[in-house]
Amino acid sequence: MPNYTFKNGAIKDMPIGKIVCLARTYKKHAQEMQSEIPKDPIVFLKPATSVIFNKDSIIIPSESSYLHHEVEFGIVIGKKCSRMAKKFVLDYVSGYLVGLDITARDIQAEAKKNGWPWTISKGFDTFCPISEVISKDEITDPNNVDFSLKVNDEIKQKSNTKMLVFTIEKLTEFISHIMTLEKGDLILTGTPEGVGPIKEGDILKAELKGYCNLQVNVIKRGK
Ligand code: MG
């Protein structure tokens, strides 16, 4: 797998590992999807092969005609950890990024209706654009970071990690009790309200305010 890019070249050789995603972690997003906030976070995986980087293109696959953007705050794991206590989890974090959990909403709706996994709707190539990584020491409070997404220069999603139903520490602790987290793994912490469709030709600009930007465009897979 390709390596992360760290801002200022802080760390060079860290290949992207598994991508653990969370759903319904923001109240208003759960409401817009007519869903309840669960007692424990909902967890699913995206393959590392879905990652693309700044200035790359999201490709609309021929299997879907309705993609949605979901901007998310990401946690990059720097050291192997398992069953961590909440107060120590940040010691195992290397940094943070802004990412997009691109979703084939038509395929996901079908899966939800039938009780099937979300893997197909979340797992196509190019469905996980990520920014460079900001080292942990630069972001002193990960539970208070503004982030946003513009589509064609219009603000579509804007929130702050303090709106998360669970703290960054709690989410990381929770996942580490299910699966061992390894160096290079990425946690995408879920999306705030404002998700919506993207189409061929759109330009998406995400940012962690004051830290980093991510820009990708949308193209259609050639026949
Ligand atoms: Mg998501």
Side-chain angles (χ1 to χ4, degrees):
M1 287 311 297
N3 289 312
Y4 290 98
T5 305
F6 276 73
K7 194 178 182 184
N8 308 325
I11 298 174
K12 289 209 162 60
D13 302 311
M14 195 190 285
I16 294 157
K18 62 178 169 289
I19 304 167
V20 188
C21 301
L22 297 151
R24 298 180 203 167
T25 48
Y26 288 86
K27 217 182 202 159
K28 284 186 183 163
H29 172 62
Q31 284 166 354
E32 76 182 348
M33 301 300 288
Q34 276 101 44
S35 302
E36 302 285 320
I37 291 282
K39 183 173 77 57
D40 287 326
I42 292 175
V43 180
F44 64 93
L45 296 170
K46 268 170 115 80
T49 44
S50 63
V51 168
I52 57 170
F53 300 96
N54 193 35
K55 301 287 167 73
D56 286 342
S57 301
I58 297 166
I59 301 171
I60 304 173
S62 51
E63 290 81 358
S64 173
S65 51
Y66 193 55
L67 302 196
H68 262 197
H69 56 75
E70 297 189 355
V71 69
E72 312 203 355
F73 182 78
I75 307 164
V76 177
I77 302 296
K79 263 194 291 189
K80 186 171 177 174
C81 63
S82 170
R83 297 197 165 266
M84 289 308 301
K86 199 166 64 181
K87 61 178 175 183
F88 299 122
V89 287
L90 291 189
D91 296 346
Y92 293 79
V93 169
S94 187
Y96 305 102
L97 54 72
V98 66
L100 297 171
D101 172 20
I102 301 298
T103 305
R105 200 66 88 196
D106 47 356
I107 298 176
Q108 190 197 33
E110 189 69 17
K112 279 184 178 175
K113 202 171 72 191
N114 290 293
W116 297 336
W118 296 357
T119 312
I120 298 175
S121 63
K122 298 283 192 177
F124 284 98
D125 290 354
T126 75
F127 271 27
C128 191
I130 57 170
S131 71
E132 61 187 349
V133 183
I134 308 302
S135 292
K136 184 179 59 180
D137 4 311
E138 268 195 66
I139 297 185
T140 46
D141 185 4
N143 293 296
N144 186 9
V145 179
D146 286 312
F147 65 104
S148 65
L149 175 74
K150 288 180 186 169
V151 179
N152 304 327
D153 288 322
E154 192 185 322
I155 282 274
K156 295 288 183 184
Q157 293 186 270
K158 192 174 188 307
S159 194
N160 183 295
T161 52
K162 70 181 173 208
M163 302 306 288
L164 276 162
V165 178
F166 312 93
T167 63
I168 296 298
E169 291 86 346
K170 176 71 203 165
L171 291 171
T172 311
E173 176 199 44
F174 178 79
I175 294 165
S176 83
H177 281 246
I178 303 166
M179 59 190 90
T180 297
L181 290 169
E182 297 177 294
K183 183 177 176 178
D185 287 350
L186 170 64
I187 299 171
L188 288 181
T189 55
T191 196
E193 70 277 13
V195 300
I198 52 173
K199 57 178 193 320
E200 188 177 14
D202 283 349
I203 294 174
L204 281 60
K205 290 181 191 164
E207 71 166 353
L208 292 187
K209 197 176 172 193
Y211 297 108
C212 63
N213 295 285
L214 167 68
Q215 181 178 326
V216 288
N217 68 336
V218 184
I219 62 173
K220 220 168 176 157
R221 174 167 297 293
K223 293 269 155 47

